[in-house]
Amino acid sequence: MRIAIIGAGIVGVTSAHALAEDGHEVTVFERRNTVATECSFSNAGFLAPGYITPWAAPGMLRKVLGQWFNPHRAVRLAGWPSLALGRWLWQWHQACEPARHHPNRQAMLTLARLSLQLTREVAKKQHIDHEGTQGMLVLLREKAELAQARAGLKLLAEAGVNFKLLDAAGCRVVEPALEASTALKAGIYLPDAEVGNCRQFAIGLKAALAERDVTFLFDHEVTALQPQGRSVEVVAHQAPQDANSTLGLPSA
């Protein structure tokens, strides 16, 4: 099947790889001139299954409301509230209940572990050096942060995630480059986690995909998707030639 992917960030590039592995003919459209130039450029690069959690979590509503008037708040509403938004907020509030949160978190953990395994396999098979390092240290600078983290540590233990709670001295043994004068209460060390360069991984995988006949159309911004019977036509604006190109694709 001929398949188009819009966007050559880390999700687009890895999706192209998975589809090519399944034998599909893949074309990737990207409005910039290379892969991983926007969000994926500055991605934190955490490969840490134990560090994930659903946004719908116990106490999240109180946390969101507590930041409501903060100009740097993590959650914002765009436009005026609507009935659809009200229904979504109610469903989100229900998903924050422990009875729903715990199975959702376990499902995310299972998926993240599989993702980490596949990332390691792809990097090894394609000889991609993404500046990966083993182990991850989460710093807790204040007593309140440590108290807040303890509930999460209980969940990590229940999920079978390997971790160590370290005091300030222990953190500096794991990471000697920490500034001695930096205020530090404790740290959570995840020895099985990894940290890598997301953009470097995307660049390496893109190079590998060139040998798999995956087509990358850079400087192409998709402007429309037009149904054509059993196919879909991707209309893209090409810069700087100011020309339009189209690609006919069968509908999935």
Side-chain angles (χ1 to χ4, degrees), residues 152-238:
L153 296 181
K154 183 175 182 294
L155 292 175
L156 290 180
E158 292 173 352
V161 175
N162 184 18
F163 73 92
K164 296 178 181 178
L165 180 61
L166 305 175
D167 59 15
C171 290
R172 291 189 168 91
V173 170
V174 171
E175 181 49 81
L178 284 172
E179 174 61 45
S181 61
T182 300
L184 186 58
K185 185 65 180 177
I188 303 170
Y189 180 51
L190 302 163
D192 298 331
E194 295 180 21
V195 178
N197 187 322
C198 178
R199 181 170 185 265
Q200 200 68 24
F201 186 90
I203 291 173
L205 191 54
K206 185 262 180 186
L209 290 175
E211 301 175 1
R212 297 290 304 272
D213 295 327
V214 172
T215 301
F216 284 84
L217 296 180
F218 295 113
D219 295 313
H220 279 67
E221 183 166 4
V222 173
T223 57
L225 299 176
Q226 299 176 349
Q228 301 286 343
R230 294 178 59 84
S231 301
V232 175
E233 186 178 69
V234 180
V235 180
H237 178 80
Q238 182 180 1

Side-chain angles (χ1 to χ4, degrees), residues 120-140:
R120 289 170 173 167
E121 291 176 359
V122 170
K124 182 178 180 180
K125 180 179 178 180
Q126 304 298 345
H127 306 288
I128 299 173
D129 179 9
H130 60 294
E131 302 172 350
T133 56
Q134 187 77 27
M136 182 174 126
L137 181 62
V138 182
L139 300 179
L140 305 171

Side-chain angles (χ1 to χ4, degrees), residues 5 12-24 26 205 209 212:
I5 294 176
V13 175
T14 51
S15 296
H17 174 266
L19 291 167
E21 287 282 294
D22 283 343
H24 299 287
V26 183
L205 191 54
L209 290 175
R212 297 290 304 272

